[in-house]
Amino acid sequence: MKIINIKELKDKNLGSLAFFESMNDIPFEIKRVYYIYHVPKGGERGGHAHKSLRQMLFCTYGKIEIILNDGYEKNSVLLDNPSQGLLIGEGIWRDMIWLQEESVLCVVASEYYDETDYIRNYDEFIRLVKEGYWKREN
Ligand code: T46
């Protein structure tokens, strides 16, 4: 997990423009973009990990809490700034909680959609962590 500052150009009259480039600013080629919106305040999504997908999450409007779990410890990240990106590697269980009405979660992903890459069962996730399915840096 890594938080990156997305480049932005601010103009006090015209507003801000933020941008990032595949491979130059984020460490993978972008194959897919999706975004999640109209989630009611307090709504929770996620509840899964990915075998190999890498993604960057960013919130273009509102406030969303992302809870990440590598099987050993949990970390919570608040996305409430459109120029902040959250890089999530493979093998991380994630939950997302919508803290503000009409918050928008945008995601760029390293692979096309593939349901077989998802682990939606927490016990299976913990089993794979313990088996060393993912190489952890620590
Ligand atoms: C993730 C978090 C941050 C597709 O058909 N294509 C897609 O590209 C995506 C992302 C989803 N779907 C289907 C799969 C499910 O039938 O849309 C349905 C809802 O997906 P899911 O319940 O996985 O949505 P979230 O919000 O829990 O998770 C999503 C991504 O799926 C996931 O990869 O990391 O956002």
Side-chain angles (χ1 to χ4, degrees):
M1 180 271 266
K2 190 177 171 194
I3 294 167
I4 67 163
N5 294 318
I6 299 172
K7 290 171 189 157
E8 63 178 340
L9 298 171
K10 289 184 184 182
D11 182 292
K12 70 175 173 13
N13 298 313
L14 297 173
S16 299
L17 184 156
F19 60 95
F20 54 88
E21 297 178 353
S22 191
M23 299 310 289
N24 288 334
D25 301 302
I26 61 168
F28 53 82
E29 295 281 3
I30 297 168
K31 286 199 180 152
R32 181 164 51 105
V33 177
Y34 62 90
Y35 36 97
I36 304 170
Y37 50 97
H38 293 346
V39 178
K41 185 178 174 187
E44 297 191 19
R45 301 184 62 112
H48 49 71
H50 282 281
K51 289 179 190 155
S52 62
L53 187 71
R54 292 181 292 157
Q55 306 193 95
M56 186 174 81
L57 281 55
F58 53 105
C59 175
T60 51
Y61 176 80
K63 199 180 281 193
I64 302 168
E65 182 183 9
I66 313 292
I67 300 163
L68 301 174
N69 176 354
D70 66 2
Y72 296 100
E73 63 174 6
K74 280 188 186 180
N75 281 294
S76 166
V77 177
L78 184 65
L79 292 183
D80 63 352
N81 175 348
S83 69
Q84 186 182 54
L86 174 63
L87 285 168
I88 307 178
E90 56 274 40
I92 304 291
W93 190 268
R94 80 280 323 266
D95 293 294
M96 302 94 75
I97 306 172
W98 262 250
L99 301 179
Q100 187 183 314
E101 209 68 45
E102 293 303 341
S103 300
V104 180
L105 182 65
C106 299
V107 183
V108 293
S110 64
E111 302 298 334
Y112 301 121
Y113 173 69
D114 175 9
E115 186 59 36
T116 67
D117 190 70
Y118 284 76
I119 301 158
R120 295 188 184 271
N121 178 296
Y122 189 71
D123 292 342
E124 187 192 350
F125 169 66
I126 293 298
R127 182 179 60 77
L128 290 172
V129 169
K130 289 191 175 147
E131 282 175 3
Y133 187 89
W134 299 283
K135 214 171 10 154
R136 303 296 192 200
E137 277 166 21
N138 50 356

